[in-house]
Amino acid sequence: MKQTISFLIGLCFAISVTAAAEPPAVPDHFSFHLEQRLEGENAIQAFQMTDINAWKISGAGKERALELVQQSKYSPTVRSPVNIALIKDKIFTDFILEADCLQTGREYGHRDMCFFYGFQSPTNFYYTHIATAADKNAHNIFIVNGAPRTNIATETTRGVEWGLNTWHKVRIERTVSDGMIKVFFDDMQKPIMIAQDKTFQWGQLGFGSFDDTGKIKNIRIWAPKIENKSTPAFPETIK
């Protein structure tokens, strides 16, 4: 029997213990999931952005999405993505993240959307860059550790087909004990990227892009635990 506990923190978060909604191969100790519903006038306030003016909540009903509409006015201190929206006041260690995303930019090799995790500061985090074509700076798993981003994936593909007006499902799995990171795109059985790194064992999760625009909806997170922790906004000194 499905039992759901829901509560509001800026957006609507729902915690569910149903197995039917779980993605493949959820570990036994992942005893709940957290869903972000982009409902209400203040939904966008549940995120902290590098530039809030670059984002909006768009659509209605099931099509409501967090949308990146323009390039952020933000200059990171080291080479790394400019457009970032982090889930506010939530810290994760192990997690499984699923979200639907739609890339709204023009077609070119680095046409991308990014997913952030282990985000401890603007110069210390991981991100997955999913792009049309792979090279040393695109379509890979990256670490930003006080220096320009470095790719760390041990396995990847040649890229993805974003298409036009096409939603895609992304899943990211992270376990800190072995440092494993797996990224899935549409096919939830076979990863498109794998990396292994233990540098950052906790941090915020988020969404964005290096240079492009896009939408994110149906955000769901499975985790053994979630820490509610006040997280500071991006410092004025790096804008």
Side-chain angles (χ1 to χ4, degrees):
M1 178 180 294
K2 184 173 181 179
Q3 296 179 334
T4 303
I5 301 173
S6 61
F7 58 96
L8 294 175
I9 306 179
L11 333 148
C12 178
F13 288 93
I15 294 179
S16 173
V17 296
T18 178
E22 292 181 351
V26 174
D28 291 340
H29 64 290
F30 283 52
S31 59
F32 64 92
H33 76 257
L34 179 149
E35 181 177 3
Q36 288 193 320
R37 301 174 183 175
L38 301 170
E39 299 173 349
E41 296 180 356
N42 298 322
I44 201 167
Q45 294 182 10
F47 297 88
Q48 60 186 95
M49 288 89 164
T50 48
D51 181 356
I52 195 171
N53 295 316
W55 297 82
K56 69 177 183 178
I57 301 297
S58 62
K62 293 182 179 180
E63 297 305 311
R64 283 180 67 84
L66 176 66
E67 183 174 3
L68 173 61
V69 295
Q70 65 186 34
Q71 191 78 344
S72 299
K73 293 181 179 179
Y74 170 72
S75 298
T77 56
V78 296
R79 182 67 171 164
S80 55
V82 172
N83 305 291
I84 303 173
L86 300 174
I87 297 172
K88 188 185 296 181
D89 299 335
K90 300 289 181 184
I91 302 297
F92 299 84
T93 53
D94 293 359
F95 67 86
I96 296 174
L97 166 69
E98 282 191 0
D100 294 339
C101 55
L102 186 152
Q103 219 286 347
T104 58
R106 64 182 177 86
E107 183 58 87
Y108 70 112
H110 283 198
R111 184 186 184 198
D112 80 280
M113 292 193 74
C114 293
F115 298 81
F116 302 87
Y117 41 98
F119 198 105
Q120 299 182 2
S121 77
T123 55
N124 294 275
F125 60 93
Y126 299 108
Y127 71 96
T128 292
H129 184 277
I130 301 178
T132 301
D135 60 35
K136 67 177 183 179
N137 294 322
H139 197 66
N140 209 301
I141 297 169
F142 293 86
I143 186 171
V144 178
N145 189 14
R149 45 80 164 107
T150 301
N151 63 66
I152 59 173
T154 55
E155 296 182 29
T156 187
T157 60
R158 294 182 177 180
V160 302
E161 293 186 12
W162 284 110
L164 297 174
N165 299 316
T166 302
W167 287 94
H168 300 276
K169 182 177 289 297
V170 171
R171 183 171 90 237
I172 298 177
E173 300 178 356
R174 167 69 170 163
T175 53
V176 300
S177 60
D178 59 5
M180 187 63 67
I181 301 167
K182 294 181 180 180
V183 181
F184 300 80
F185 185 85
D186 287 341
D187 181 350
M188 298 292 102
Q189 301 297 324
K190 183 177 177 59
I192 62 169
M193 301 178 199
I194 297 175
Q196 200 164 9
D197 188 274
K198 296 184 179 181
T199 304
F200 305 128
Q201 300 197 4
W202 58 270
Q204 290 174 265
L205 306 183
F207 313 91
S209 174
F210 211 112
D211 295 304
D212 296 310
T213 55
K215 299 180 181 181
I216 304 98
K217 67 177 184 178
N218 296 333
I219 301 165
R220 299 191 298 172
I221 303 167
W222 291 258
K225 62 180 180 179
I226 299 173
E227 181 179 350
N228 295 319
K229 182 178 180 181
S230 178
T231 50
F234 288 94
E236 293 290 334
T237 54
I238 63 172
K239 287 186 178 180

